[in-house]
């Protein structure tokens, strides 16, 4: 598309005009989408965060097997999801799939849940980024400033990048992702080729008694949270070249890459520290175990590199979720659900620039509120918003899985049984189990001993977002999502 083909603000979508709604411009290949999506999963952040927590509060040395379980379930889900991709030509991501299978009301509800979850997660990760950057600057003798001041620096950078064409963000994310994955792979290689840690290689990953020891449900919970972001490949449909091939391939490559990386790296982390003391070590030092392990095997320089890349990993994660949230706002604006200006693409960059600014404004309000209220950036701000996003994303996956089964059972009958019925059904069983696990452990996730105001508030907020879908659909009958 030439630069002269200007994209104007979208009118209210109707059955006649929905197909003519504005589209974003881009030429993203499989690799570019994989970089964006895997960066959202924040591989280094996971190895330095959820992995120690999963070991400490989950099933100890058996925790790496939780990644195997999560990968298998999500692969089963992806079989039906990618099979349905060619029947969903719009870039509305999962809410277009839900609309296609379950109707406009549930489709809009899924869109609101997704938007809430991604904006919450984008804002919440600033609660990790701010303190992380503050500690990094302090370690090099820099000034000591409040966490929100450092978060503001990252916020400005994310806003500037989100305003421009997705290709720029894709290139930056590629560089950051390669760097953070490389340092972990170097650590993995050194530990493996040195014959493991002080006790050799850990065997908990293949020992049934270790896999089910401790609290395996909590292990599964932290494993699920580590995959958040992989599901966003379809959001970039309009900016992908040959999307019917690019999106499925990017989905499988992202998921398998993340699953293998998490499984191997968590196993290596356990091996490097020794199975007998890993639970105690992870419990006492969950935030520093990756850095100290890297220092032990790669020297002081390795420890400094990990500390730096941990911060850039969080930045990449924020930028990825910002791009996803912006495109949800854009698609809802283009379809007349939200104000039409949100659905206009930038005349030069071909980016959802207005939607990006609105996403940034929403995140700014949340971060400012946290600073004014004096919330702890990690223990309160991040965990509360993380609770919203974790429940929201798994709920979104579950609704999409149901929609796939309904679509192929009622609207597009026939075809092979495995990709259209068996695999999606097995994936749905696994996702329902994941949802149950998250709901059982939600109070602990948001810092409560049992269901209280925050955990109940998370459920009420998500329920309101989901139920708003049928209400808006009834009021705006012209809205077309698929």
């Amino acid at each position: 598309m030439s630069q002269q083909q200007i994209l104007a603000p979208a009118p209210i979508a109707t059955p006649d005009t929905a197909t003519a709604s504005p589209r974003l411009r881009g030429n993203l290949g499989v690799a570019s989408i994989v970089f964006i999506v895997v960066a959202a999963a924040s591989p280094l952040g996971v190895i330095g965060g959820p992995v120690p927590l999963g070991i400490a509060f989950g099933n100890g040395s058996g925790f790496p097997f939780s990644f195997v379980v999560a990968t298998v379930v999500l692969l089963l889900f992806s079989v039906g999801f990618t099979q349905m991709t060619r029947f969903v030509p719009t870039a509305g991501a999962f809410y277009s799939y839900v609309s296609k299978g379950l109707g406009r009301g549930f489709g809009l509800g899924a869109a609101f849940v997704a938007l809430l979850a991604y904006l919450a997660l984008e804002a919440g990760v600033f609660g990790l980024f701010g303190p992380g950057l503050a500690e990094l600057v302090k370690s090099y003798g820099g000034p000591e400033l409040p966490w929100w001041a450092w978060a503001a620096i990252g916020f400005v950078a994310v806003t500037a990048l989100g305003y421009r064409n997705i290709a720029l963000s894709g290139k930056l994310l590629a560089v950051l992702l390669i760097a953070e994955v490389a340092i972990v792979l170097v650590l993995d290689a050194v530990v493996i080729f040195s014959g493991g840690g002080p006790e050799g290689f850990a065997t908990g990953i293949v020992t049934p008694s270790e896999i089910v020891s401790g609290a395996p449900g909590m292990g599964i919970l932290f494993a699920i949270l580590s995959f958040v972001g992989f599901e966003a490949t379809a959001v970039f449909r309009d900016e992908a070249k040959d999307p019917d091939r690019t999106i499925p391939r990017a989905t499988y490559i992202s998921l398998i890459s993340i699953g293998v990386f998490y499984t191997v790296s968590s196993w290596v982390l356990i091996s490097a520290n020794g199975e007998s003391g890993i639970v105690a070590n992870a419990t006492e030092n969950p935030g520093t175990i990756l850095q100290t392990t890297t220092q032990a095997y790669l020297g002081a320089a390795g420890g400094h590199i990990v500390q730096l890349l941990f911060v850039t990993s969080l930045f990449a994660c924020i930028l990825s979720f910002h791009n996803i949230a912006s495109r949800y706002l854009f698609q809802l604006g283009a379809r007349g659900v939200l104000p039409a200006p949100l659905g206009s693409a930038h005349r030069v960059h071909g980016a959802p620039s207005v939607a990006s600014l609105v996403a940034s404004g929403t995140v700014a309000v949340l971060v400012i509120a946290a600073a004014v209220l004096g919330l702890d950036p990690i223990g309160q701000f991040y965990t509360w918003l993380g609770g919203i996003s974790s429940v929201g994303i798994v709920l979104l996956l579950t609704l999409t899985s149901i929609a796939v089964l309904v679509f192929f059972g009622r609207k597009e009958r026939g075809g092979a049984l495995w990709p259209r019925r068996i695999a999606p059904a097995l994936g749905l069983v696994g996702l329902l189990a994941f949802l149950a696990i998250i709901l059982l452990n939600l109070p602990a996730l948001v810092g409560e001993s049992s269901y209280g105001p925050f955990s109940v508030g998370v459920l009420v907020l998500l329920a309101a977002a989901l139920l708003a879908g049928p209400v808006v659909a009834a009021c705006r009958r012209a809205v077309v999502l698929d």
Side-chain angles (χ1 to χ4, degrees):
M1 181 177 292
S2 69
Q3 188 168 320
Q4 283 72 35
Q5 290 175 283
I6 304 302
L7 295 174
I12 297 296
T14 68
D16 296 325
T17 64
T19 56
S21 60
R23 302 177 77 87
L24 302 175
R25 298 199 302 271
N27 195 33
L28 297 176
V30 173
S32 296
I33 295 179
V34 168
F35 280 130
I36 294 171
V37 170
V38 175
S42 186
L44 182 61
V46 166
I47 302 303
V51 166
L53 294 175
I55 294 170
F57 304 109
N59 42 346
S61 64
F63 175 67
F65 191 77
S66 301
F67 286 125
V68 177
V69 174
T71 303
V72 170
V73 170
L74 294 176
L75 277 173
L76 289 170
F77 161 82
S78 297
V79 171
F81 164 64
T82 55
Q83 182 73 194
M84 190 174 168
T85 295
R86 64 190 180 95
F87 297 100
V88 185
T90 57
F94 283 169
Y95 75 77
S96 289
Y97 290 74
V98 175
S99 177
K100 198 83 170 179
L102 302 180
R104 292 187 313 130
F106 279 111
L108 276 176
F112 294 145
V113 168
L115 186 58
L116 177 63
Y118 287 122
L119 284 173
L121 197 54
E122 179 188 348
V125 177
F126 274 112
L128 298 177
F129 174 81
L133 182 56
E135 188 62 31
L136 176 66
V137 173
K138 180 182 176 181
S139 68
Y140 286 97
E144 293 188 39
L145 299 174
W147 71 270
W148 49 263
W150 296 112
I153 296 174
F155 173 82
V156 171
V158 168
T159 299
L161 289 167
Y163 188 81
R164 298 176 63 83
N165 188 276
I166 186 65
L168 179 60
S169 293
K171 292 175 182 177
L172 177 61
L173 289 173
V175 172
L176 296 179
L177 180 63
I178 290 171
E180 65 178 278
V181 170
I183 187 64
V184 178
L185 291 180
V186 169
L187 174 62
D188 290 350
V190 170
V191 174
I192 290 173
F193 287 111
S194 64
E199 301 170 9
F201 292 113
T203 59
I205 189 175
V206 293
T207 306
S209 60
E210 291 296 326
I211 292 171
V212 299
S213 66
M218 285 293 288
I220 289 290
L221 170 61
F222 284 110
I224 297 166
L225 295 180
S226 301
F227 281 89
V228 172
F230 98 91
E231 73 288 343
T233 50
V235 175
F236 301 98
R237 182 182 181 90
D238 281 353
E239 295 154 286
K241 53 185 177 183
D242 193 8
D244 287 341
R245 292 186 178 183
T246 301
I247 299 303
R249 289 178 182 177
T251 300
Y252 284 121
I253 292 173
S254 299
L255 183 54
I256 293 172
S257 300
I258 293 170
V260 171
F261 180 83
Y262 289 164
T263 302
V264 172
S265 297
S266 59
W267 169 70
V268 168
L269 186 67
I270 293 170
S271 299
N273 288 273
E275 278 187 284
S276 62
I278 187 61
V279 174
N281 192 356
T283 302
E284 295 172 4
N285 309 292
T288 59
I289 187 172
L290 175 60
Q291 184 177 356
T292 56
T293 302
T294 305
Q295 286 178 339
Y297 286 87
L298 302 182
H304 287 300
I305 292 173
V306 163
Q307 186 181 19
L308 171 63
L309 292 180
F310 181 75
V311 175
T312 62
S313 174
L314 294 174
F315 176 81
C317 178
I318 293 170
L319 179 58
S320 295
F321 284 122
H322 178 82
N323 285 327
I324 294 169
S326 298
R327 279 146 187 82
Y328 267 95
L329 285 168
F330 174 87
Q331 295 298 336
L332 290 173
R335 286 161 175 76
V337 180
L338 295 178
L342 288 171
S344 61
H346 194 280
R347 292 176 178 272
V348 176
H349 304 307
S353 300
V354 176
S356 176
L357 292 176
V358 171
S360 292
T362 304
V363 170
V365 169
L366 293 172
V367 174
I368 291 172
V372 172
L373 295 174
L375 299 181
D376 180 83
I378 300 175
Q380 294 176 314
F381 186 57
Y382 171 72
T383 56
W384 293 351
L385 295 182
I388 294 174
S389 61
S390 59
V391 178
I393 296 300
V394 176
L395 177 60
L396 188 63
L397 292 171
T398 303
L399 287 172
T400 304
S401 192
I402 295 172
V404 169
L405 288 169
V406 171
F407 177 78
F408 286 123
R410 295 181 181 178
K411 301 182 179 181
E412 191 68 32
R413 298 180 180 180
L417 288 176
W418 170 253
R420 296 192 173 193
R421 289 174 176 78
I422 298 175
L426 293 174
L428 176 60
V429 171
L431 288 170
L432 288 172
F434 288 173
L435 185 60
I437 289 171
I438 289 181
L439 292 177
L440 286 172
N441 294 280
L442 181 61
L445 196 62
V446 297
E448 295 178 329
S449 58
S450 61
Y451 267 92
F454 297 114
S455 46
V456 171
V458 167
L459 298 183
V460 170
L461 192 59
L462 288 168
L466 183 61
L467 294 176
V471 174
V472 174
C475 297
R476 306 293 296 276
R477 295 185 182 278
V479 170
V480 177
L481 297 182
D482 53 9

